Amino acid sequence: MPRITFQPDLRNVEVRPGDQLLAAAWKAGVGIKSICGGRGKCGSCVVEIDAIPGGTGALEPASAAERDLLPKDVPGKIYRLACQCEVNGDLTVSIPPESQAVKNAPRKPFTVTRVAARPVTSRLVLEIDPPSTHLPRPLDERILEAAARATGRRRVDLPLSTVADFSQHRGFDRAHEVTATLYRERKVIQLRQGRHERQCGIAVDVGTTSMVMFLCDLGSGEILAMRTAANPQGMYGEDVISRMTHIQKDPTTLPTMQRLVVDELNGLVADACAANDISPEDVVDAVIVGNPTMQHILLGINPEPLGRGPYQPVWSGGVEVEAASLGLAVAARSYVFVFPMVNGFIGGDTLAALLTRGPEFYRGTQLLVDIGTNGEVVLAHNGRLTATSCATGPVYEGAHIRCGMRAAPGAIERVWVGANGEIRCATIGEREKGRVRPVGLCGSGVISSVSALVKGGLIGIDGSLASPDHHPSLCCNDGVRSEEVVLVPDRRSHTGRNIVLTQQDVRNVQLGKSALRAGIEILMAASGVTTLDRVHLAGTFGNHLEPEDILNIGLLPPLPVERVRSIGNAAGDGARMALFNRFHRGRAIALARRLTVLELSGRADFQEMFITHTELAPAPLA
């Protein structure tokens, strides 16, 4: 069995001969970027082969297509694409910083709001009559009688599965004091010996790129812990289409993807519980939101129909399933509420974000925008809700960008062009650790750099880079036309290579920006709206955008900058609201029915709007 050692983590893993290096890395817990999902198209999974103890036969030779995507030859260095590299012998491999998938916690801001506690579960301490030869009664009857005395109800439901779980513990049949967890005051979902009055729950936002989990005290309404992680499905591609394609080619990939998410979530729950001295058995409720593809995969439902016309979900209603059926390591018979979906593109995460908006959102004209690989937009106009979805592409996650990366320490998040023409950058992690050498550009850095370079005259409003003689940071390949802007020279970067924004990068930003702006304009026109009172930017990416930047390139309709505000991880906030108070679960279901969806596919006016809004310039304020 070939043995692979990954640097810089010194992780080892054994693989079968012929296995791909990318799959081996994820098996070892080493994250490597794979924007195209392992199809050898993007070149994002470049690795350096440090040592080949078994000789050159340990690696299959690179194909011509792979060589085209590799860095230029450097004496003494061997570069390969992990997704195209078949292993037949022992190797030592280094993962360059720009190829490393985010394994540390992505930034997931949230808003601390007080929600009136009315959880879906409750706990009762029952006094169970002891077994008696004079009046022989089975244990389940004695439990039901005790529950009736405690609740004042004639009868509650005690499933056999709950009794079976209870019977796994020593002395269960002679326990005098038993804590019962009731679901909606009627169904006993857990029995535990002794007194366990504290009950907890988890609220989870499963995103395509990252996940966030909140451990909450259902009695006090407090957040006990927050944990975040990269979505491990990233090995199958950075976007949902790549993951659907893998499932289409091999249906056995579906349970693997489902298990990857659940295992990662179980690790987050275990870590948060241990840090707060809480048993996972005390986690008796869960609420999960995500986009339609993530919710389908979580529930083990094939998401393929979401990726082909008419793009309809297999299932759309809010659903409650037992935690044990998903493999979630909390109280086994507790229920997991997965938010409803509106259609194939607008899912529970959008509905959860809407839950966080107060009554003022539904008065006047306000816009909720969640910018990501897919952009969801909801327009509230005089109490009527209309939504649409735009395929903005993964550029806003830093993907399909030459020096793109996810938001992690070393990622450039802000760019300025000074009065003297100097290009300056700010990276994630500088505030905590001082100066951090840049590694690449995250999504907010991409938008900030385009905005700054347009303002500084290095990029025209048509998206073309200025001529090389306009600025010393503009570089060209053919001696005439600029192909890239050097934001950080090699001597100041962490990678030892120039960090650049290319002409193609700018075109990718224009495509994503134009798609989103066209969707917004069509949504407004269909509702008879010409101006907006306020725009709410949801999601991790939206929270780290500067309103001036997105208005400067015309990503939003013209409005005063003070009317644009970020609202953090609104999906996670809405999930917590539904966890703390059952009323909000009904609200989510009602919102799904109330929302009118405007489909953009096939509309001639969308193509017209798309072309109109490719310019990187704001329209003047009326």
Side-chain angles (χ1 to χ4, degrees), residues 56-75:
T56 55
L59 283 175
E60 290 293 323
S63 66
E66 181 184 352
R67 289 195 297 271
D68 288 342
L69 291 170
L70 293 173
K72 295 178 181 179
D73 291 336
V74 178

Side-chain angles (χ1 to χ4, degrees), residues 139-201:
L139 178 60
D140 67 326
E141 287 188 11
R142 288 183 277 130
I143 293 173
L144 287 170
E145 286 181 1
R149 290 194 299 268
T151 62
R153 294 181 181 275
R154 182 172 298 178
R155 185 170 181 82
V156 295
D157 183 19
L158 179 60
L160 179 62
S161 57
T162 303
V163 178
D165 291 343
F166 185 50
S167 72
Q168 303 302 312
H169 301 278
R170 188 185 299 275
F172 73 97
D173 60 328
R174 296 187 175 277
H176 171 63
E177 194 173 59
V178 172
T179 298
T181 303
L182 275 67
Y183 170 75
R184 296 188 183 274
E185 289 86 35
R186 292 185 178 276
K187 184 176 183 179
V188 181
I189 60 172
Q190 185 190 59
L191 294 167
R192 296 181 69 189
Q193 295 182 54
R195 187 175 290 267
H196 304 273
E197 295 178 345
R198 190 179 198 182
Q199 56 174 345
C200 298

Side-chain angles (χ1 to χ4, degrees), residues 20-45:
Q20 285 186 346
L21 188 57
L22 180 63
W26 282 92
K27 181 180 177 182
V30 176
I32 298 178
K33 285 201 297 187
S34 178
I35 292 170
C36 69
R39 291 177 289 167
K41 302 293 185 183
C42 66
S44 64
C45 61

Side-chain angles (χ1 to χ4, degrees), residues 93-115:
V93 181
S94 285
I95 316 298
E98 61 270 29
S99 296
Q100 294 175 13
V102 175
K103 301 301 288 183
N104 59 311
R107 301 179 296 172
K108 281 280 188 178
F110 64 95
T111 306
V112 179
T113 54
R114 300 298 299 181
V115 179

